Amino acid sequence: MKKAKKILLAGLVFAMVLAMTACGKNSTPSESVESELKAVQNESISDLEKTMPNTMDSSYSDDWKSFLKKIQKFDYKIKDEKIKGNKATVTVTIKTYDFGNAYQETYNQIVQDAQSGTITSSTDVTKYVYDLMFKNLLAVEKKTYSKDVVINCKKNDDGEWETDVQSNEQFLNAIMGGLEDKIAEMSSAQ
């Protein structure tokens, strides 16, 4: 399960890097950030799958595609922009599905089922875990997770604003509904 989480997070970071187009022709840091956020939301699933292939068996292909689509459905609001010379910060509120909570529910159910005997030596644990994980992740219907993220910007040599969206861990965690924070919290508790 930890391997799948790491692959998922690494794949999303890689996809973000490839999804981001140059910010050129945007006159403000906020416009550059908005351009990159829209690029993440509008990237085709087939392109995302090239950078984030389904590492599970092919029976999870449709679930994987559905999950990728759901990640892209984040809402955002640009709240604040501060410019100091060639550097700037843009604060963005991300609102999305609480995937972190869904992951916690998955983990809790697995522990409960293991303790109750529902999971036995004949259980295909990998299948059981993936089925339950996708069921819970895809069942989240309301966007209840909200987080403010600071995006750093700087002017390049051509005078165009560039952002750190593709490497910003706060942003990645936010569009994934706190999943990274939840995994870290659960790992430190064990």
Side-chain angles (χ1 to χ4, degrees):
M1 181 103 125
K2 282 187 176 186
K3 182 179 178 184
K5 293 182 279 188
K6 287 181 181 181
I7 290 169
L8 173 66
L9 291 173
L12 284 171
V13 168
F14 188 65
M16 296 296 152
V17 170
L18 295 178
M20 300 305 118
T21 56
C23 300
K25 313 297 185 254
N26 292 313
S27 60
T28 70
S30 292
E31 289 173 350
S32 292
V33 168
E34 183 152 18
S35 175
E36 292 197 27
L37 296 179
K38 286 181 180 180
V40 171
Q41 289 176 322
N42 295 317
E43 177 140 17
S44 73
I45 295 302
S46 61
D47 284 345
L48 277 178
E49 283 187 308
K50 290 175 188 171
T51 57
M52 296 173 46
N54 176 4
T55 58
M56 298 160 276
D57 74 50
S58 61
S59 66
Y60 293 100
S61 180
D62 290 342
D63 289 333
W64 182 250
K65 288 176 186 176
S66 295
F67 182 61
L68 292 177
K69 288 177 187 175
K70 201 158 191 166
I71 288 171
Q72 289 180 294
K73 292 181 181 179
F74 65 92
D75 297 324
Y76 66 89
K77 180 178 180 181
I78 295 180
K79 290 178 61 174
D80 186 41
E81 175 184 275
K82 294 179 182 170
I83 301 173
K84 289 185 180 179
N86 288 337
K87 294 184 179 182
T89 59
V90 177
T91 302
V92 180
T93 300
I94 303 292
K95 187 163 185 174
T96 193
Y97 305 101
D98 194 340
F99 294 121
N101 187 53
Y103 184 83
Q104 178 74 58
E105 290 173 5
T106 301
Y107 176 82
N108 292 345
Q109 185 66 51
I110 292 166
V111 170
Q112 180 182 353
D113 289 351
Q115 291 172 342
S116 71
T118 301
I119 298 174
T120 66
S121 59
S122 64
T123 302
D124 181 343
V125 176
T126 301
K127 179 177 177 0
Y128 174 83
V129 168
Y130 285 145
D131 285 349
L132 184 59
M133 181 180 68
F134 278 120
K135 175 186 167 199
N136 288 345
L137 291 173
L138 297 175
V140 182
E141 294 180 359
K142 294 183 180 177
K143 295 179 183 179
T144 60
Y145 181 87
S146 181
K147 184 168 184 156
D148 285 350
V149 177
V150 176
I151 306 293
N152 298 300
C153 304
K154 65 179 181 177
K155 276 192 179 181
N156 64 20
D157 292 338
D158 296 326
E160 298 169 348
W161 288 102
E162 296 178 342
T163 78
D164 72 345
V165 167
Q166 64 267 30
S167 62
N168 190 311
E169 290 185 29
Q170 288 182 350
F171 171 71
L172 176 61
N173 181 56
I175 67 169
M176 293 190 64
L179 184 60
E180 188 175 324
D181 283 347
K182 186 58 74 175
I183 291 169
E185 175 187 317
M186 292 170 60
S187 294
S188 68
Q190 293 178 3

